[in-house]
């Protein structure tokens, strides 16, 4: 297990606290959390989708919250009342509560979420502000007056 000490960098940088915290947490296992399974897909140039397998959960038992570049998906099943005359012999479908957190990059917003066939789809889009987008700078030719002034200076000499 590797551990990197970022404290020397804290002394000489300002505003990178979140980056160092993220790097610290990447090295630490998150308790071997594997439930529920999920996929992260890139669906376009600036579009992403997180698919979470939430079989058995209804849309009112799942909450999604985006706050300060952290997307949190929580699920908590309501207790099922056993019907009379029925006895559960084996429970293979997980009914436990879960919480999954995803770190979002700057300017990534949640567009929407849908629940279909036991999969929760959370659509994300990166919205880069105009002032942060690269811009093309046009190169213009030097004005003709500059050449005329140079020619006049040479003739005078």
């Amino acid at each position: 297990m590797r551990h990197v000490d970022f404290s020397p960098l804290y002394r000489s940088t300002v505003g990178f606290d979140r980056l160092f915290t993220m790097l610290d947490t990447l090295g630490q296992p998150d308790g071997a959390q594997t439930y529920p399974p999920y996929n992260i897909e890139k669906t376009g140039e600036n579009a992403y989708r997180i698919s979470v397998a939430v079989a058995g959960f209804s849309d009112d038992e799942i909450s999604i919250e985006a706050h300060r570049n952290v997307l949190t998906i929580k699920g908590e099943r309501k207790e099922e009342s056993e019907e009379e005359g029925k006895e559960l012999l084996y429970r293979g479908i997980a009914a436990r509560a879960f919480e999954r957190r995803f770190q979002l990059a700057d300017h990534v917003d949640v567009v929407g979420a849908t629940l279909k066939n036991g999969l929760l789809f959370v659509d994300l889009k990166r919205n880069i502000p105009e002032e942060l987008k690269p811009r093309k700078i046009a190169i213009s030719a030097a004005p003709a007056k500059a050449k005329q002034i140079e020619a006049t200076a040479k003739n005078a000499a």
Side-chain angles (χ1 to χ4, degrees):
M1 180 164 327
R2 294 184 296 182
H3 180 72
V4 179
D5 183 19
F6 292 112
S7 54
L9 295 173
Y10 282 118
R11 291 191 300 258
S12 61
T13 59
V14 176
F16 291 95
D17 303 343
R18 197 175 118 245
L19 174 67
F20 296 136
T21 303
M22 278 186 0
L23 290 171
D24 275 338
T25 58
L26 285 177
Q28 301 169 357
D30 55 341
Q33 181 184 15
T34 59
Y35 179 78
Y38 65 92
N39 292 336
I40 300 175
E41 316 167 46
K42 186 170 185 175
T43 58
E45 186 176 336
N46 289 316
Y48 302 89
R49 173 178 269 185
I50 298 173
S51 306
V52 184
V54 291
F57 286 85
S58 64
D59 55 352
D60 62 328
E61 296 171 329
I62 298 172
S63 68
I64 302 170
E65 180 181 313
H67 181 67
R68 293 191 181 182
N69 296 4
V70 176
L71 174 68
T72 305
I73 302 174
K74 295 180 186 177
E76 190 168 345
R77 292 211 34 201
K78 297 176 180 152
E79 290 294 319
E80 295 178 11
S81 59
E82 291 190 23
E83 295 177 27
E84 242 181 84
K86 287 188 178 181
E87 180 182 351
L88 185 65
L89 298 177
Y90 172 75
R91 181 178 297 272
I93 299 173
R96 61 182 179 233
F98 68 88
E99 181 174 330
R100 276 278 186 189
R101 293 179 186 266
F102 299 92
Q103 291 287 330
L104 301 178
D106 291 336
H107 312 296
V108 173
D109 300 321
V110 177
V111 176
T114 55
L115 182 63
K116 182 178 177 184
N117 297 332
L119 290 174
L120 175 68
F121 299 106
V122 180
D123 293 313
L124 308 166
K125 183 170 177 131
R126 182 175 17 173
N127 296 316
I128 301 173
E130 286 297 320
E131 62 268 6
L132 296 180
K133 288 183 180 177
R135 10 170 242 187
K136 191 103 168 148
I137 308 298
I139 301 172
S140 59
K145 277 190 167 185
K147 290 182 183 178
Q148 186 179 12
I149 294 172
E150 286 178 16
T152 310
K154 286 181 184 178
N155 290 340

